[in-house]
Each structure stands twice: as structure tokens, then as C-alpha cells.
Amino acid sequence: MSRSETVFDLVQSHRITGVICVAAKLNLAEALGDGAKSAAELARLVSAEENALHRLLVALTTIGICSRADGDRFALTDLGRQLDRNADPSFKDWVLFEGELLTQYWAGLIESVRTGRTAAEIRGDGSDSYAAMSNSPEAISRFNAAMVDLTRSLVPKIVEAYDFSGAHVVMDLGGGSGELIAGVLLRNPHLKGMVFDLARCEKEARNHFSRIGIADRCRFVAGNFFEAIPGGADTILMKSILHNWKDDRSEVILRKSWDALPAGGKLIIIERIKSECPTTDAQDRECAMSDLNMLRVPGGFERTEAEYRALAEAAGFIFARTSGAGSFGLIQLDKVAH
């Protein structure tokens, strides 16, 4: 591919996002299932115009979501099956979040680059995009569902990367509906768990605990981690929290976590870790794009391991080690009594 062709390929990538998002919104993966169907059959199932749908299906085959089968029939690939909400793993809700919400935010990225301010700050909605989001139940629902997709894909990697055998009670800080803590508890029957998050997450979390059979050993505590974090856990998990906030706010969260843990307690920060010298590697690119997303939406940023260590050590923690969990890293910290 020539340089000019590469530029065209890169700049047109938003079209790929659009195609995948439309497929998800049409429920094409669910309509296709495990078989192959013609555009005519699918058009009836998903309420689309046959010729236009055929053109979409052709586009989906060029990016590996669908494949051609038996002439002019289409089937899902293994990649495409992840658009089915019932698949394991499923990234349907993440696709809808990316295609419906984040693309709107990114349309004004140039203003954030020019000013260093988030979309909410530029609009005058305040500095906290999550507070602004609370005014839109639909946005909250879309965001939470996307986070479940991401977290569910990471749970096996997190459990493999960290040995929970020495823990007794694990708290998931900012744990939403409890997807992470549930995955950890199901794989570690000796553990008890807590989710600490805003009260709006409580009903869904409790329903989740009951549905998967851990309600007897996992509880939800409502609160705000900028104000106080409850005690009772010897291990705190903090996934995709600190990258949302600037250093001063992150330091508050870390100090509150230090206060909540007993001597010998553990804090596990689970975040993308920015390379000191980013390359064109896919993981570096993912982290850089996430960093710009933090600039545009919540106002935080992705950090290097050294930057996370500096923040944690300023709050009183002792660095233990970093281990990999897919595209995320686990920074393991110890609380040593002063």
C-alpha cells in the first residue's frame, strides 16, 4: 500500500465504525445466527430495504464481520458473532456506545485540543462529564452497558494476572453493576466482595448478584469516593477510574483508598499503561486514542507506569509489581503502616 493509500485508509476509518454500528443497531448478528441468509431474508427480519441492506452486507464482508456463503447468502464470521448481545464475548453495547455517543463527542475534538478543555467544559455544563451524564438516563444506560462489555472481556485476564488466594474481602471501587467483582468471586469461592459506587448503580448491582448466585457473599455500598471510602476490605480493585481524573482528583481517590485499607492491604490499579516511547504498535495506538478520549470527555488522561507509581506513592502506597492483563496493566500496591 502506498503512502497516499495508507492516508486514505486511515482517514476513512470512521466509515468502518459507522458500518459496524449500523449492523449492531439492525440486530444483524442475532438475525443471522449460526446460519447463512440472503439479503432478502434478512431484510424482512431486520426491517430494511433489500438492496441497501445487500450493500451493507458486502461492506461487512470486506472488514471481516460477515462472509459470503452459497452464492449470494451471508453468514457471520467469528469476529461478527461478537455483535450478538448473547455471544461470549459480546461487544455489541460497546459498539453502540462508540458509534452513538463517542463519535458525537469526537466531532468537536479540535476545540478540546485548542483549549485543553472537555466537551462539557466548552458547553458550560461544568467540569465533571459524569455529573452531566446523570441528566440523561439513556446516556448512563449506554455507558454502563459498554463498561460491562469491556470488563467482562478483561475478567479472565485479571484473575490470571493476580493471585487472590491471600485476600478475604475484595472491594471493587467504582464497580458499577458489579461485573468485575462477580467475575472475581465466581473464580475464587473463598472471597467475599463489595461494590462501592453511586447509589444509582445499586439496584442493577444487587439484581446481578442475585442472578448469578453471589448475593450471600457480595454487597453494595453507596457513596462517593471523593468523600469517603468504607472500610472492611483487605483488597481494593480500581479499574478504569484514575484515568478519568487529573492528578489532584486522583490523589484524593488514592488517599481515601489508603485510609480505607488495613495495614498490609492491597490496592490493584487496572488501567491502560502508556508507553514512555509510543510506537505504531496496536496497543500503543489504542492507549493514545483513549488518552484523547479522556481529554475530550471526562478530562483525565492515560498515564505511564512511572506516573501511576508517583501518584500512588504520594498517597502512601508502596509499589509491588506490574503485570499484564491483555491491553491493560495491573499495578499492584501495598499499604504499609506509617
Side-chain angles (χ1 to χ4, degrees), residues 15-16 19-20 52-66 68 74:
R15 301 182 187 186
I16 295 175
V19 165
I20 296 173
L53 181 60
H54 186 277
R55 294 161 75 174
L56 178 72
L57 289 163
V58 170
L60 289 167
T61 64
T62 68
I63 58 175
I65 298 295
C66 292
R68 230 40 186 277
F74 297 86

Side-chain angles (χ1 to χ4, degrees), residues 152-175:
R152 188 174 292 156
S153 72
L154 287 174
V155 166
K157 300 178 180 71
I158 291 169
V159 173
E160 182 179 351
Y162 185 76
D163 181 4
F164 288 92
S165 62
H168 300 284
V169 181
V170 178
M171 178 196 301
D172 185 5
L173 189 76

